Amino acid sequence: MQKSECHGGLQLRNRGAGNCDQRASSSAQMKQGRTPAQQGKSSSATGSPESARKLHPRPSDKLNPKTINPFGEQSRAPSAFAAIYSKGGIPCRLMHGSVKHTLQWECPPENLPFDPLLITLADGLRETKHPYTFVSKEGFRELLLVPGAPEKAVPLLPRLVPVLKAALVHLDDDVFARGLNALVQLSVVVGPSLNDHLKHLLTSLSKRLRDKKFKEPITSALQKLEQHGGSPQVVTWSWYFHQRAR
């Protein structure tokens, strides 16, 4: 009786062990049955950073999608002056020097028409990037120094003054400084012809008087406008600004 029970228990154990062996071998066969391509896909799907981000997206991925920023620097169209300069519409180029930069003109500046070159250079005063800042500032100054500049510049004042005003109301301090210098340079050349247009410019200067760093340059500019213009209007405005600057 005991032998029979022992023999039966031994059979059950052997049968259970056989089942375990069959399950282990079938699992091994399933693993071995995968092709190398399937194994590569499985490992790459679970191991690559890209798949990890897909399985577990970060909050920043939702907040910062991979799209082109329409307001980014690269998507902005070039300014009018930069576009004209890149197409060779400005007949001068920047020459880098060891001490200071200079302009090289394609032909003598006195042979160039002021319309529309002088207005284009004045428009470039609002640029904030190199080399446009230097080319516009120096080109405007040198063009006004050529013989016969007064006769060429005076007819352009109705179109030139609004462009200078755009520089004087610009929020960038360097742009304002370039516009102020250009205004003084223009007054030296055209003299009293500028008086009728000053009312459009002096109000812009008055707003900058609140900035202490521009109080002295504006005061000096007003004195030069008064000197070269001599109009009672200039004297009145200059006196008014001097009172505000104190």
Side-chain angles (χ1 to χ4, degrees), residues 13 27 31 38 64 70 73 86 92 101 106 144 192 217 224:
R13 286 194 298 270
S27 176
K31 292 181 179 179
Q38 291 175 338
N64 302 308
E73 190 68 28
S86 63
C92 60
H101 303 321
E106 296 176 1
L144 288 177
K224 292 178 181 178

Side-chain angles (χ1 to χ4, degrees), residues 58-122:
R58 298 171 298 182
S60 60
D61 293 336
K62 297 180 180 180
L63 296 175
N64 302 308
K66 294 181 179 180
T67 57
I68 298 176
N69 181 7
F71 302 103
E73 190 68 28
Q74 295 180 351
S75 64
R76 293 179 182 174
S79 64
F81 182 84
I84 295 174
Y85 183 81
S86 63
K87 295 178 181 178
I90 310 297
C92 60
R93 284 294 179 268
L94 172 67
M95 297 296 293
H96 294 276
S98 58
V99 179
K100 67 175 184 177
H101 303 321
T102 58
L103 285 183
Q104 181 179 6
W105 295 88
E106 296 176 1
C107 63
E110 56 268 21
N111 297 336
L112 295 171
F114 275 35
D115 189 6
L117 182 56
L118 187 65
I119 299 174
T120 303
L121 291 169

